[in-house]
Amino acid sequence: MKVLVINSGSSSIKYQLVDPATAEVAASGVVQRIGEEVEPDVVTVEHSCGDRTFEYRGSIADHAAGLHVVFDLFTAAGQDLAHADLGAVGHRVVHGGEVFYQPTVIDDTVVKAIEDLSALAPLHNPPNVIGIESARALLPDVPQVAVFDTAFFHQLPAAAKTYAIDAEVAAAHGIRKYGFHGTSHDYVSGQAAEFLGRERADLNQIVLHLGNGASASAIRAGRAVDTTMGLTPLEGLVMGTRSGDLDPGIIFHLIRTAGMDVDDVDALLNRHSGIKGISGVNDFRELGQLIETGHPTAKLAFDVYIHRLRRYIGAYLIELGRVDAITFTAGVGENDARVRAEALAGLERYGIRVDADRNAERSRVARRISADDSEIAVLVVPTNEELAIARASAELVG
Ligand code: AMP
């Protein structure tokens, strides 16, 4: 049985056809620039299937049109989805609010509820809903499953999830820490336990998901007890283009004195801040190159990023009391040895000793980068949210 995993963003759809039992990826691809008028020769869909790639050029009017093209490319590649032994379509849904905390089979009521949660995730839930509706229309006989980014953090302790604001206002507007990247934190902490040959229930872990978006989590005996992202995916670590934590007073100040409205501030903090805001680039490969050339603010951006990351590592060491493993994952965490080295430098007295040679090695598999005498195991574990969504979907539909 295979699962088609769909991650539908505002102007893109990423997808993967994967066998949840073997993790084998039969095909994957991305639809980009949805809703944009592009020249007829611009590639907007790239579809890979084994070592073959198929492309579609030209404008993609909307998500439904994008999925139509994807289905045609599956057929062109000899993998007609109608005959692909498709057991489910698994959708990544960013915000499950208080309502959804486990993978859920999608029906009209579920779609409506996900739509209703859009106020909490205006950038994410609406495109998720469009992706779901398009896939349901195109594959009406295949069960569709929603897997929520917030689910792993549903049971955060009250002290961790409660914002210290007027309780009635908070309750009336669903204001609490929800956390995001949950599928990744859950999957990676499971993989880390497997790598260490230990039960997840016996381990306390810190997971550092450092991609373009970034979040950290503290996990006690398999259950998340804290995480850096909050009501929205804006809180916490410094990210590619997002500010992470800041003084909320900055927002009032900008609105009162800089002539910005709410949408301006939203765009500033979500799209023009973080590493990009300070240095002009959001990709760590480019940032590394700029640092080498002595760029005036690239090193500062790196230092601010590391400073925030270390602050949370320290907080979670204290919160958990005993930590067995610290695991790096996602684009930056899996690939940037310097980030890993600096995040954990000088923490020997806390039982953390990174081995420089192990850290410098490049690999695509789970590995240990701590020295043999490091009390806390430091690992790099590639995340695989698609596989986790496929497995959750397959399990649910049986
Ligand atoms: P993700 O959101 O997990 O796909 O991570 C994307 C980010 O990972 C990119 O924006 C880069 O900053 C970073 N990244 C990817 N590859 C590398 C690499 N080889 N070295 C450093 N950073 C990388």
Side-chain angles (χ1 to χ4, degrees), residues 222-303:
R223 273 177 60 166
V225 294
D226 208 349
T227 190
T228 53
M229 284 178 166
L231 173 81
T232 75
L234 182 56
E235 189 181 351
L237 301 176
V238 175
M239 309 182 213
T241 65
R242 288 174 240 163
S243 62
D245 296 339
L246 42 72
D247 175 357
I250 292 171
I251 297 169
F252 320 137
H253 183 71
L254 288 171
I255 290 173
R256 288 189 186 121
T257 66
M260 291 187 177
D261 64 18
V262 170
D263 289 335
D264 295 331
V265 180
D266 191 325
L268 175 79
L269 300 182
N270 275 298
R271 298 211 300 272
H272 306 293
S273 295
I275 292 295
K276 185 177 184 188
I278 302 173
S279 74
V281 299
N282 67 293
D283 190 302
F284 267 75
R285 288 161 289 197
E286 284 178 70
L287 187 73
Q289 287 160 6
L290 288 184
I291 292 172
E292 295 302 315
T293 63
H295 182 277
T297 55
K299 179 66 169 53
L300 174 64
F302 183 87
D303 290 345

Side-chain angles (χ1 to χ4, degrees), residues 119-269:
L120 290 172
L123 301 178
H124 296 99
N125 275 30
N128 294 163
V129 169
I130 294 170
I132 289 170
E133 295 286 42
S134 304
R136 286 177 87 201
L138 285 162
L139 292 167
D141 300 326
V142 183
Q144 314 260 333
V145 176
V147 178
F148 297 90
D149 238 26
T150 46
F152 185 56
F153 302 113
H154 181 69
Q155 292 181 310
L156 286 179
K161 74 179 181 189
T162 305
Y163 290 104
I165 64 169
D166 183 293
E168 276 177 32
V169 173
H173 298 281
I175 292 175
R176 52 158 276 197
K177 183 184 276 285
Y178 290 96
F180 298 86
H181 292 147
T183 307
S184 178
H185 286 275
D186 186 14
Y187 174 81
V188 167
S189 56
Q191 292 294 112
E194 207 168 284
F195 179 88
L196 294 170
R198 304 270 305 274
E199 290 298 320
R200 207 147 59 132
D202 296 335
L203 294 176
N204 288 350
Q205 304 193 46
I206 296 174
V207 174
L208 306 169
H209 175 112
L210 310 177
N212 205 15
S215 60
S217 67
I219 302 169
R220 175 176 288 124
R223 273 177 60 166
V225 294
D226 208 349
T227 190
T228 53
M229 284 178 166
L231 173 81
T232 75
L234 182 56
E235 189 181 351
L237 301 176
V238 175
M239 309 182 213
T241 65
R242 288 174 240 163
S243 62
D245 296 339
L246 42 72
D247 175 357
I250 292 171
I251 297 169
F252 320 137
H253 183 71
L254 288 171
I255 290 173
R256 288 189 186 121
T257 66
M260 291 187 177
D261 64 18
V262 170
D263 289 335
D264 295 331
V265 180
D266 191 325
L268 175 79
L269 300 182

Side-chain angles (χ1 to χ4, degrees), residues 14 209-213 282-285 329-337 362 383 385:
K14 291 187 198 142
H209 175 112
L210 310 177
N212 205 15
N282 67 293
D283 190 302
F284 267 75
R285 288 161 289 197
T329 193
V332 178
E334 291 167 32
N335 293 298
D336 199 314
R362 298 194 65 82
T383 191
E385 287 160 291

